[in-house]
Amino acid sequence: MHRAPSPILTRTLAPTLLLAAVAAVAGAVATVDDEAVRIPAWVVEAGPQMVDGLGADRLEVSVAGTPIPVLSATPRTELDPLPATTLLFDFSLSRPGGVRGVAAALAELVEDLVALGPIEIAVVDPQIRTLLPPTADPERVRQSLDRVVVADIEGDAIEDRRRQLEIAVRADPGRAFELAAEAAREELLMLRRQHDQLVHWLATHGDPSIGPRLLFAFSEGLLLDPLAHHTTRLSAADTASLAALAPSVEELGNVANAFGWSIHPILPAKSDVTTRLDYRPSEQTPVGFRLRLGARDRADGESEEESEPDRLVVNDPIPWRELARTTGGVTVERLADLGGVLEAAGHQLVIAVAAGPGAGERSAASETSEASESPELSVRLDAGERLRAPRSPPGGHPHAVSAALARLALAGELEDLEGGADTIEVSARLDLGAPVAGQSSATIETSLPLDALASLDGPSGSVRITHAFESLDGEVVTHFGEIHPDGVEREGSTLRHAQQLFLPSGAARSVVLVEDLESGARGIAFPEVAEAEPVPTSDAVARARAREESFRLLAPESTALDLRGRVTFRTEAADPVERVHFLLNGERVARRNRRPFEARIDLGDSGRTQQLVAVAYDAAGNEIDRDRLVINEPPTSFWVRVIEPQSGSRPAGPTEVEAEVKVPIGSQLRRLTFYWKDLELATLVDPPWRRELTLPIGDPEGFLRAEAELGDGRIAEDVVVMTQKGFGEQIGVDLVDLYVVAIDRTGKPVLGLDRDDFQVYEDGAQQEIEFFEVAGDLPITVGLAIDSSSSLFVKMPAVRHAAERFADSLVRARDRAFLIGFGSQPRLIAPLTDNLQRIRDGIRSLEPHGSTAVWGALEMALEQIESVAGRRALIVFYDGDDEDEGNSFQRSLALARRARVPIYLILMNTEAARTDGRSLDSRAFVSRLDRLARAGGGRVYFVPAERTRNTEQQLDEIFGSIAEELRSHYLITYYPELEPGGPLWRPVEVKIDRRGVTARTVEGRETDWP
């Protein structure tokens, strides 16, 4: 049942005008009958104890530096009624032996416990549940502690996770950093969840109006710092990104103070606990609990300490001591001290200070930070000695409570917790706005029933609205707002509140939490993402979409694996199509003027791969649309394409995602995985390749990636770049994407350019840029082709080292690569894979042998990479010998032009290196290489053939330069403005409006336009 906080929790300390000013800074402080606020305090002399005869006249209390009148100082045991004391045992983040030892020690002190008043026992397993409601019956307390001693405790979840990590790292050392980052994230999210539950529990069960409450807590993991444990395996970037997930000890202390708790951590040493394991519960231990002494049975005479393996979790006492000091508690670091602390707690002073009847309204500014809710509280003796007391006064509703409730709601755990029932009906709608400076903007409109918001009827009440956004990787960002009686929009019986804000990057889900700070009522809603308004598109896009809907070339009905001879092809054509031309491999082979516009076309007897294009015209001879088919696609073809979400949509929140996969004959698809950027969304192992996934609502420019993997490890992928402007990279028409490198006069990449700096020309005509993005973080597929001919015997170690260093520059789990080695024949050493360790192992396995089949290697590499979507690059290293007579340069050039992939050629040739390729002996050969590189926007590098001391350094610099260039790509897309009758080969040029800066990209593209 929900227990709402008392209305007195929101009243401020304001007996005078001066105190009212203090209240505006200090926040809400609880009162009792509008006369006093109760604050716990200790006198510390070699431990917490009471000084006899200490009265109110000897005490000085101030809040935020302003003195507060002291009304009385009363020993805790003289309060009427006595506030309950809670014993909290953390089963999920502690050793079983530790929990049992502490429970056994407390069971020996039951009489001292009940002298403090009613005793409540709660356990965390992993949610907090009450094992014993408050009671002053010592026998019931003893029996409940017996139940804790014999409880079936699974053990420390973080300890288990760290042992799993060590096993995984030993099995795959190359992934140590990646695995450690995953483990640290899991630990932080686990601790964040436990903190949130404890914050919610403290807020629900605390009530400072009945006096301060004591909480004796035992947990070995709650205040751990996972980043400190994993620090040697975490990069600086990982540490910085994970730090945002770490829960705050300060927040926990502020919440405890606000709701009247003093926390007393129990932190015994391991040896201190194990000496008490001879404790045995009485025969009255309830049925259903059994003794569990660890992960394995103990040998005779073996202690539990000896049976446990070395611990990977060490309970750091420093944050626990800080939490105790913040809440006015005492840290129990030896079980032998428990009795003394319990005795002293009975004499704890409860100081009543004056509070006026006014409620001083909290300003909006005070809602912006936690610090404004935690004014400093000071309690001193008249001699100036400071007493142990909470660092801030009780009362108020810290933002940490609202943030914890919102996170629990996103995790689906709020209603499962005590007091989690919603009492306010809330509805919310999220409208995405246009991105601003790279951030997604949104308006969240919340509708509330006025009759459920009692605090808005008065002059000083307020309602807090918390917006929380969860990213795909589990991070939650919160925004707070407040509604006051004089600032609401009322529509009949409904209140509407609209707030504009920026969404955190990658936000995928959101929740709205509404809290009436006076009545304690609350409600939650998960905003619906409003359907986006149509986004204006360029004329080129509009024409392309209109054409796409009017005409289609249908695949033939034949089920033959290869089509030969005369085959009938049909079309689907809507008005105003009046004529259709059919082109086979660029040559017109048929013309039809009547529906159904079908043609019987001779494909020949070879069964080779061919391309058929159908071009539709209207009555005036204007081209309307065209469609194409690939005929006799090789049975070895392997590709994946994302077909949903469709173009023009604004994908956000739950989204239907679908892919199409072509699997080679004789192969089996192992899995299909969808990613948003680098984050895995779902893995499918059986068709249909369709799933509803949650896509970010707060990522204005991201990309969806589909990765298909065969049983033999080969990988194909497709990348769809999306923005909240309604753009999708794949629209199904002639969208051209260019990956461009901007370079200065020294050949160094230039970053920091924007769309307006670029102009694109195709066949001499300027094109309208449809989309622009800095693309260095997009996934990339790299093909490595490395010469392993006999002539490289001496130089091969340096080549291997430089190539391995380049492989290390790729991003694990995002980028893909394959490796070809070529001597007399090219060999696929490692097929396309995201396991970069396989690439490194393949590089190490290269052994010099045979002559140099460079053109055959290039052809194999281009065929491997041609069907891969997204960013791509080929790196070819060889010794400069032209011994590959069986394969022609012209064939390789044709493939390079068709693939439009940048080729980086590293030529080990002394003469070419000395003259930069201009010598008579090398000019003709280098010219051919340069033509290959220019086709896709790559370049040629030269290295002397003789092995010298700096050969390895030169190769490192070259491979490093290539890696830097690949990280500096810009992505530009456009719809080509084409007219019938133009050339099949169209040169492409990109100009940059910056002095001394030029662009390198593909030199042109082939088109099937007649």
Side-chain angles (χ1 to χ4, degrees):
M1 180 176 179
H2 176 63
R3 182 157 84 185
S6 168
I8 57 178
L9 294 183
T10 59
R11 297 176 186 170
T12 54
L13 199 66
T16 65
L17 290 176
L18 176 61
L19 294 185
V22 173
V25 176
V29 178
T31 65
V32 178
D33 298 329
D34 289 335
E35 294 180 357
V37 173
R38 291 173 171 172
I39 299 171
W42 310 70
V43 176
V44 181
E45 289 182 1
Q49 54 183 291
M50 173 68 186
V51 176
D52 293 337
L54 185 63
D57 57 336
R58 296 192 55 201
L59 296 170
E60 298 175 354
V61 179
S62 63
V63 176
T66 301
I68 306 296
V70 178
L71 303 179
S72 65
T74 308
R76 175 187 174 83
T77 52
E78 296 180 14
L79 294 176
D80 185 21
L82 284 172
T85 295
T86 299
L87 312 178
L88 180 67
F89 299 93
D90 188 348
F91 285 9
S92 65
L93 299 179
S94 303
R95 292 170 297 138
V99 173
R100 296 189 185 105
V102 173
L106 287 168
E108 297 173 0
L109 300 169
V110 168
E111 298 300 330
D112 294 333
L113 283 169
V114 296
L116 297 176
I119 299 299
E120 176 186 38
I121 299 178
V123 297
V124 184
D125 190 25
Q127 293 184 348
I128 302 178
R129 57 186 174 89
T130 300
L131 192 64
L132 176 70
T135 178
D137 182 348
E139 190 57 35
R140 291 187 62 194
V141 175
R142 185 175 289 107
Q143 289 181 9
S144 293
L145 288 171
D146 288 351
R147 295 176 66 187
V148 174
V149 171
V150 299
D152 185 8
I153 302 172
E154 291 295 332
D156 188 346
I158 291 182
E159 174 80 15
D160 292 342
R161 182 65 185 87
R162 290 182 179 178
R163 293 198 182 281
Q164 294 170 13
L165 171 64
E166 295 307 314
I167 294 171
V169 168
R170 285 195 295 271
D172 191 355
R175 298 183 61 214
F177 285 85
E178 178 185 348
L179 294 169
E182 292 175 2
R185 177 176 293 278
E186 289 180 23
E187 290 182 24
L188 286 166
L189 291 175
M190 191 185 307
L191 292 175
R192 176 84 269 178
R193 177 172 171 266
Q194 296 291 78
H195 271 250
D196 289 343
Q197 290 189 61
L198 182 56
V199 164
H200 176 54
W201 190 87
L202 292 172
T204 303
H205 290 71
D207 188 350
S209 65
I210 61 174
R213 292 194 60 179
L214 305 179
L215 174 64
F216 288 88
F218 176 73
S219 173
E220 293 183 309
L222 182 64
L223 299 186
L224 286 177
D225 180 5
L227 298 181
H229 175 80
H230 297 286
T231 183
T232 59
R233 290 175 176 163
L234 292 179
S235 67
D238 284 336
T239 301
S241 65
L242 292 172
L245 298 176
S248 166
V249 175
E250 182 182 4
E251 281 186 356
L252 191 59
N254 289 338
V255 171
N257 289 339
F259 292 93
W261 293 92
S262 287
I263 298 180
H264 305 266
I266 303 176
L267 306 174
K270 186 176 179 181
S271 58
D272 191 17
V273 169
T274 53
T275 59
R276 297 177 175 269
L277 286 179
D278 58 348
Y279 173 82
R280 292 292 181 269
S282 68
E283 294 182 359
Q284 300 178 10
T285 300
V287 176
F289 287 79
R290 56 190 172 86
L291 188 62
R292 177 172 172 164
L293 297 176
R296 62 178 177 86
D297 294 336
R298 296 211 310 254
D300 292 341
E302 183 183 24
S303 70
E304 179 162 342
E305 180 181 15
E306 293 169 338
S307 70
E308 286 189 349
D310 292 337
R311 293 272 293 164
L312 294 175
V313 173
V314 178
N315 194 8
D316 184 359
I318 294 177
W320 286 108
R321 292 168 186 159
E322 178 63 20
L323 181 62
R325 284 194 293 268
T326 299
T327 62
V330 177
T331 305
V332 182
E333 301 199 16
R334 295 191 309 155
L335 291 181
D337 296 336
L338 261 174
V341 173
L342 294 177
E343 180 182 2
H347 297 285
Q348 180 190 43
L349 284 178
V350 178
I351 302 171
V353 297
E361 183 177 305
R362 177 176 297 183
S363 67
S366 70
E367 289 297 323
T368 61
S369 69
E370 192 69 33
S372 64
E373 300 174 311
S374 305
E376 183 180 2
L377 171 69
S378 175
V379 180
R380 297 179 181 274
L381 291 174
D382 51 7
E385 180 183 354
R386 184 165 183 163
L387 304 187
R388 182 186 296 272
R391 289 185 179 173
S392 58
H397 192 78
H399 288 97
V401 177
S402 303
L405 292 177
R407 285 190 291 264
L408 291 171
L410 284 168
E413 297 180 355
L414 185 58
E415 294 186 4
D416 295 334
L417 298 173
E418 184 178 353
D422 299 331
T423 56
I424 302 175
E425 292 185 7
V426 183
S427 62
R429 165 188 166 116
L430 186 149
D431 289 289
L432 289 169
V436 178
Q439 269 193 291
S440 296
S441 63
T443 299
I444 299 183
E445 183 178 284
T446 307
S447 299
L448 309 169
L450 279 170
D451 57 3
L453 304 174
S455 66
L456 295 183
D457 293 335
S460 59
S462 65
V463 172
R464 179 180 296 169
I465 295 185
T466 302
H467 300 113
F469 302 92
E470 182 182 31
S471 64
L472 291 172
D473 60 5
E475 184 176 349
V476 177
V477 177
T478 51
H479 297 271
F480 305 101
E482 192 137 338
I483 304 175
H484 297 285
D486 57 351
V488 297
E489 178 185 342
R490 304 170 190 251
E491 294 183 6
S493 61
T494 301
L495 178 148
R496 299 193 184 280
H497 176 265
Q499 183 173 357
Q500 291 184 327
L501 41 79
F502 287 107
L503 303 181
S505 178
R509 296 196 305 144
S510 64
V511 69
V512 175
L513 169 70
V514 178
E515 299 170 280
D516 189 321
L517 298 185
E518 183 168 338
S519 70
R522 68 169 183 257
I524 61 171
F526 296 92
E528 294 184 1
V529 180
E531 186 173 344
E533 295 294 327
V535 179
T537 59
S538 68
D539 292 341
V541 175
R543 288 195 299 271
R545 289 179 181 162
R547 292 199 310 264
E548 184 182 22
E549 297 172 357
S550 63
F551 184 69
R552 212 157 56 101
L553 174 60
L554 304 178
E557 297 177 355
S558 173
T559 59
L561 295 179
D562 59 341
L563 297 177
R564 301 169 185 263
R566 300 183 67 83
V567 178
T568 300
F569 292 89
R570 296 179 173 84
T571 65
E572 284 184 355
D575 290 336
V577 176
E578 295 292 336
R579 185 171 74 253
V580 174
H581 291 186
F582 293 86
L583 295 90
L584 183 64
N585 303 323
E587 295 183 7
R588 193 172 72 183
V589 292
R591 171 179 172 176
R592 297 293 180 265
N593 299 325
R594 294 197 304 268
R595 297 178 188 278
F597 303 119
E598 64 179 43
R600 190 167 177 81
I601 297 173
D602 187 358
L603 301 178
D605 297 327
S606 66
R608 65 188 178 94
T609 302
Q610 302 183 74
Q611 181 171 259
L612 179 68
V613 177
V615 186
Y617 298 89
D618 62 15
N622 299 312
E623 181 172 326
I624 299 172
D625 195 10
R626 61 178 51 215
D627 198 6
R628 69 198 60 159
L629 286 175
V630 176
I631 301 168
N632 296 335
E633 187 171 26
T636 56
S637 293
F638 173 39
W639 48 258
V640 59
R641 297 186 186 119
V642 176
I643 57 178
E644 290 287 349
Q646 294 181 349
S647 62
S649 63
R650 183 186 288 188
T655 303
E656 192 78 12
V657 174
E658 184 176 2
E660 179 183 7
V661 185
K662 167 67 169 61
V663 178
I665 293 177
S667 298
Q668 185 173 3
L669 189 67
R670 177 180 295 169
R671 59 176 169 252
L672 173 68
T673 306
F674 291 106
Y675 296 86
W676 181 262
K677 295 185 176 178
D678 299 335
L679 190 66
E680 181 178 328
L681 300 179
T683 296
L684 309 181
V685 294
D686 295 305
W689 310 115
R690 182 174 60 252
R691 178 73 63 86
E692 183 178 87
L693 303 177
T694 300
L695 300 185
I697 57 177
D699 199 342
E701 295 182 355
F703 54 88
L704 180 70
R705 179 161 59 91
E707 177 186 285
E709 181 180 356
L710 297 179
D712 61 9
R714 281 183 287 168
I715 289 175
E717 71 173 11
D718 190 21
V719 178
V720 180
V721 179
M722 298 177 178
T723 76
Q724 289 177 356
K725 300 173 185 177
F727 173 83
E729 182 185 83
Q730 292 182 336
I731 294 188
V733 291
D734 296 312
L735 177 68
V736 176
D737 58 312
L738 298 178
Y739 288 97
V740 182
V741 177
I743 54 175
D744 61 19
R745 290 189 177 96
T746 67
K748 289 287 187 180
V750 177
L751 291 174
L753 305 180
D754 56 34
R755 179 199 295 254
D756 294 338
D757 292 316
F758 292 83
Q759 297 96 41
V760 177
Y761 296 86
E762 181 172 309
D763 199 24
Q766 185 169 356
Q767 307 294 309
E768 181 180 355
I769 295 177
E770 196 63 40
F771 176 69
F772 174 86
E773 181 180 17
V774 178
D777 289 333
L778 291 177
I780 189 168
T781 299
V782 177
L784 285 167
I786 298 179
D787 186 352
S788 56
S789 60
S790 299
S791 58
L792 280 172
F793 182 81
V794 176
K795 293 160 281 192
M796 185 56 75
V799 175
R800 290 195 198 102
H801 175 81
E804 283 188 64
R805 290 277 299 273
F806 175 81
D808 290 337
S809 73
L810 300 177
V811 178
R812 200 178 284 114
R814 186 191 74 183
D815 297 335
R816 308 291 179 268
F818 63 85
L819 173 66
I820 291 173
F822 59 96
S824 299
Q825 295 292 331
R827 294 177 300 124
L828 184 61
I829 305 296
L832 186 61
T833 178
D834 62 353
N835 185 349
L836 301 180
Q837 186 60 44
R838 291 185 64 183
I839 302 300
R840 287 189 288 267
D841 292 343
I843 293 169
R844 295 190 193 107
S845 73
L846 293 173
E847 294 294 340
H849 178 73
S851 57
T852 308
V854 62
W855 304 121
L858 268 168
E859 185 172 337
M860 175 183 283
L862 288 164
E863 288 174 346
Q864 289 284 324
I865 207 168
E866 185 177 12
S867 62
V868 176
R871 282 208 307 153
R872 303 164 300 162
L874 278 182
I875 301 173
V876 181
F877 172 87
Y878 78 112
D879 65 2
D881 291 334
D882 189 7
E883 303 171 350
D884 192 9
E885 298 177 358
N887 292 279
S888 71
F889 159 73
Q890 292 298 333
R891 168 69 176 164
S892 295
L893 179 61
L895 287 171
R897 283 184 160 187
R898 190 173 72 192
R900 287 191 287 157
V901 57
I903 302 174
Y904 297 91
L905 291 145
I906 306 172
L907 175 64
M908 185 170 272
N909 183 291
T910 301
E911 185 67 16
R914 186 179 62 82
T915 64
D916 198 27
R918 297 187 181 93
S919 71
L920 292 176
D921 292 340
S922 62
R923 186 182 302 169
F925 185 53
V926 168
S927 174
R928 286 190 284 175
L929 300 182
D930 191 51
R931 289 180 65 189
L932 271 172
R934 285 203 318 267
R939 60 173 295 189
V940 181
Y941 297 87
F942 304 106
V943 182
E946 295 82 6
R947 177 173 173 80
T948 63
R949 284 181 297 177
N950 65 348
T951 298
E952 189 168 307
Q953 179 182 346
Q954 285 181 299
L955 289 172
D956 272 345
E957 290 175 354
I958 289 172
F959 277 103
S961 173
I962 296 171
E964 181 183 9
E965 190 163 300
L966 296 179
R967 290 193 297 268
S968 306
H969 274 157
Y970 296 93
L971 171 60
I972 298 174
T973 61
Y974 66 94
Y975 289 94
E977 296 286 355
L978 300 176
E979 298 295 336
L984 296 180
W985 171 257
R986 296 175 181 268
V988 172
E989 183 182 11
V990 176
K991 296 181 180 180
I992 298 178
D993 191 17
R994 291 285 183 97
R995 187 172 181 178
V997 180
T998 58
R1000 192 163 65 238
T1001 188
V1002 298
E1003 65 175 0
R1005 68 185 191 92
E1006 289 183 345
T1007 175
D1008 49 31
W1009 291 71

